[in-house]
């Protein structure tokens, strides 16, 4: 027996993981997506405890770091561990943390 994962919403529709992914891949691959739409999409996915697999700009990466810090909530040890584990990759890609950019003081 195969088990198929579905997303259920209050309005009664059901969506498979593949359909859900296809909607978001299409959303983020729009050639005319602007910064507001990008942030809206990322925030929606963060609300589902998900993040897009790949976004190709520094601002998006920093926004996701901010979202991870926010989602950690009272578990203050999570975010430093997360950034520690990503440090080599962040350095290689030239991505600064929100703290390094003084965004945590805004």
């Amino acid at each position: 027996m195969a088990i198929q994962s579905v997303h259920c919403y209050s309005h009664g529709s059901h969506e498979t993981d593949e359909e859900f992914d296809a909607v978001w891949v299409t959303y983020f691959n729009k050639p005319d997506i602007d910064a507001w739409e990008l942030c809206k999409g990322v925030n929606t996915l963060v609300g589902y405890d998900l993040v897009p697999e790949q976004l190709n700009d520094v601002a998006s990466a920093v926004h996701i770091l901010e979202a991870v810090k926010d989602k950690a909530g009272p578990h203050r040890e999570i975010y430093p561990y997360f950034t520690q584990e990503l440090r080599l990759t962040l350095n290689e890609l030239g991505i600064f943390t929100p703290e390094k950019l003084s965004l945590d003081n805004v």
Side-chain angles (χ1 to χ4, degrees), residues 45-67:
L45 290 178
V46 167
Y48 295 139
D49 287 331
L50 303 169
V51 293
E53 287 183 15
Q54 178 180 353
L55 297 174
N56 289 322
D57 65 70
V58 172
S60 299
V62 173
H63 184 69
I64 289 172
L65 290 172
E66 289 175 308

Side-chain angles (χ1 to χ4, degrees), residues 78-97:
I78 292 174
Y79 180 72
Y81 175 77
F82 181 79
T83 55
Q84 169 194 314
E85 294 300 305
L86 288 175
R87 177 62 41 218
L88 290 176
T89 302
L90 293 173
N91 289 345
E92 180 181 326
L93 297 174
I95 298 171
F96 295 105
T97 63

